[in-house]
Structures are given as C-alpha cells and as structure tokens.
Amino acid sequence: MMGMDTEYILGKLGKIEVLPTFPGIVGEVINVIEDPMSSAADLAKSMDPSMVGEVLRVANTAYFGTRNFRNITSIEHAIAIVGFQHLSHIILHMPFITMIKGDSVFNREEFIRHSITCGVLSKTISTCVRGTNANEVYIGGLMHDIGAIVIYRYFREEWEHINALIMEQNISRLDAEREVFSVDHGVIGALLLQMWNIPKSVTGGIMFHHNPEAAEEYREHAMIISMGNTCAKKIDLRDNFSSFDEFLYKYRDCIQIAEDQWVSLTPSEELRFFEQAFAQLKNVKGFFEEVLEEKDDKSSCC
Ligand SMILES: [Fe+2]
Ligand SMILES: [Fe+2]
C-alpha cells in the first residue's frame, strides 16, 4: 500500500507538535456525539486553554455577532450555545487551523467550508447506507483533507515540487502528490491521526477517501467519504438555502455522479439524502456565517 517514502513521512509527522490535549479530546468528542447523556462539563474538562478560548470566541461571535460586546465567559455556557455538533467542527479542526493561522496562501475559510460540507454530507449518506457508523464517518469527513494542510505546512519542499509538477506536466494535485510521496494527502493525514491514537474507524475512511478500492478495512467509510467529498466540491455552502426545490434542482446530479463511483441509492433514499442534507447544511451555514469571514471565490479543493 505504501511507497518507499513511508519512513521519511512518518519521521516528519512524528515531529509535529500538537495541542497536548488534542488526541484525548477527539476520543471525547466521539463519546459525546455517540452518547447523548454525556455532558458539556465532561467535554469542557478535557479541553486545554487555547481550545476553551476558541470555543468562547466562537460562541460569542455566533451569539452576539462580530460587533457586539462579548459576555459569555463560562465554557459550559459556551458549549450550550454552540451545541455539540458545531462544537465538533471547531474542536476537530483546531490544531490544523492553528497550523495555517495568519497564512495568506492557504485558503482557510474555503478549507473549513469544504470540510464541514463533506462531514455533513458523508454523515447524511451514511444514514442511508446500512452497516456504517454515521458518527465515525462524520468525523472522518470533517478531517478528510487535513493531510493537505500538513503537506503545505510541514513538507514545504515537496509542496513546491507538487506545484511545479502541476504546472509543468498539467496533472492533477492528487497525481502530483502521488508522484512526489508515492501516497496522497489522504494517507498523510490519516498517518498523522494514527500517531495521535485516533481510532482506525476514523482514519481508515480518511486514508482512502480518494481510492476506496484500496482500503482493506473500513472500505465503506472510505466510499462514503469519497461520495461526500465529490458532492462537497459541487455544493456551495455560500448558497442561501432558501428553497429545498431549488437546492434539489441545482444539485440533484451530484449524488448520481458520486453513486456511479460507489454506492447506489434508491430514489426514495436519494430524496431522503437531499432532505437531510438541505436541513443540515442550512443549519451549519447559519451558524458559521457569523464565524467565518466571507473571502475569495470557491477554489478547487482536494
Ligand atoms: Fe481529499
Ligand atoms: Fe476534499
């Protein structure tokens, strides 16, 4: 499965400094999402100060808007306002977003939008496909492209080489990554998360989201995240989501394109997918609109 560069890749990944509480908190997020009886206090206990600060910032922004006085100061109150679902977007992206903070080349807003859309759509597809765990697929979908940030931030020479290959040989970013590393950003992101002891049920789907046929374990997870990714590249979270009929009309092809690759849904499953996707994306958009700055046109993501 892996090429000759694996040791070199693992060596570099091993040196990446992480928020000390992050590996533990991913497990906690999984528990909380899977167990509605878990409380905000449990989650708050496992957060480190920078994470608490970010959750407070987001809660205040989402609740009061960017120009208003901020007065939510308790983490439990902040979690109650943000809600577990939105909280998971923030927590699961935090260490990676920190890696590109203040960077002008990597399009942070677009990355977050694409990741959230893929997470939500993957979860929605998962609920239509028997035998897959929607929460694990959701978390995998949210983090599916973190390898792209890792390459950009920690493999700068290879990043430049990849960009040169794309220009010179007119090949896709994915092919260029495979030429340089023997593997793509899915594998690199998953290897990093595995080093941090994130469960294989999550990393397996991430590792093979561009080639699910290569997955030995959790192939269905990889297939679904691949479908979610295909749809997420088409569905723009900046749409206004005012009419379900418009949404369906505009995007009804996307699931067929994704289905041609992996899983086939019946017409009623397809309709259910669109209904759920519409409701969930509308909800996520409403929340993150205040938190994310509008910037740049939709660029090609991975
Ligand atoms: Fe990708
Ligand atoms: Fe992607």
Side-chain angles (χ1 to χ4, degrees), residues 144-145 185 209-210 229 302:
H144 75 290
D145 276 337
H185 61 274
H209 75 268
H210 285 289
N229 183 45
C302 22

Short mmCIF file of all heavy atoms in Angstrom, two decimals, residues 144-145 185 209-210 229 302, ligand 1:
data_model
loop_
_atom_site.label_atom_id
_atom_site.label_comp_id
_atom_site.label_asym_id
_atom_site.label_seq_id
_atom_site.Cartn_x
_atom_site.Cartn_y
_atom_site.Cartn_z
N HIS A 144 -11.16 14.91 6.56
CA HIS A 144 -10.62 14.11 5.46
C HIS A 144 -9.43 14.73 4.75
O HIS A 144 -8.54 14.04 4.28
CB HIS A 144 -11.72 13.74 4.45
CG HIS A 144 -12.14 14.87 3.55
ND1 HIS A 144 -12.85 15.95 4.01
CD2 HIS A 144 -11.94 15.09 2.23
CE1 HIS A 144 -13.07 16.79 2.99
NE2 HIS A 144 -12.54 16.29 1.91
N ASP A 145 -9.38 16.07 4.66
CA ASP A 145 -8.30 16.72 3.90
C ASP A 145 -7.22 17.34 4.77
O ASP A 145 -6.43 18.15 4.28
CB ASP A 145 -8.90 17.82 3.00
CG ASP A 145 -9.41 17.27 1.68
OD1 ASP A 145 -8.94 16.19 1.26
OD2 ASP A 145 -10.28 17.92 1.06
N HIS A 185 -2.61 12.99 0.01
CA HIS A 185 -2.84 13.70 1.27
C HIS A 185 -3.77 12.92 2.21
O HIS A 185 -3.74 13.14 3.42
CB HIS A 185 -3.41 15.11 1.01
CG HIS A 185 -4.72 15.09 0.30
ND1 HIS A 185 -4.84 15.04 -1.06
CD2 HIS A 185 -6.00 15.08 0.77
CE1 HIS A 185 -6.12 15.01 -1.40
NE2 HIS A 185 -6.85 15.02 -0.30
N HIS A 209 -9.85 8.12 1.05
CA HIS A 209 -11.02 8.83 0.50
C HIS A 209 -10.88 9.14 -0.99
O HIS A 209 -11.86 9.48 -1.64
CB HIS A 209 -11.36 10.09 1.34
CG HIS A 209 -10.46 11.27 1.16
ND1 HIS A 209 -9.38 11.50 1.96
CD2 HIS A 209 -10.51 12.32 0.30
CE1 HIS A 209 -8.79 12.64 1.59
NE2 HIS A 209 -9.46 13.15 0.59
N HIS A 210 -9.67 9.01 -1.54
CA HIS A 210 -9.52 9.18 -3.00
C HIS A 210 -9.36 7.85 -3.73
O HIS A 210 -9.31 7.85 -4.96
CB HIS A 210 -8.34 10.10 -3.32
CG HIS A 210 -8.65 11.55 -3.03
ND1 HIS A 210 -9.52 12.28 -3.81
CD2 HIS A 210 -8.24 12.38 -2.04
CE1 HIS A 210 -9.62 13.51 -3.32
NE2 HIS A 210 -8.87 13.59 -2.24
N ASN A 229 -17.19 13.85 -0.42
CA ASN A 229 -16.21 14.79 -0.98
C ASN A 229 -16.63 15.22 -2.39
O ASN A 229 -16.57 16.41 -2.72
CB ASN A 229 -14.85 14.09 -1.00
CG ASN A 229 -13.73 15.00 -1.50
OD1 ASN A 229 -13.65 16.16 -1.09
ND2 ASN A 229 -12.90 14.50 -2.39
N CYS A 302 -9.40 19.56 -2.47
CA CYS A 302 -8.94 18.22 -2.75
C CYS A 302 -9.93 17.21 -2.23
O CYS A 302 -9.64 16.28 -1.60
CB CYS A 302 -7.57 18.03 -2.13
SG CYS A 302 -7.25 19.18 -0.78
FE FE B 1 -9.04 14.95 -0.50
#
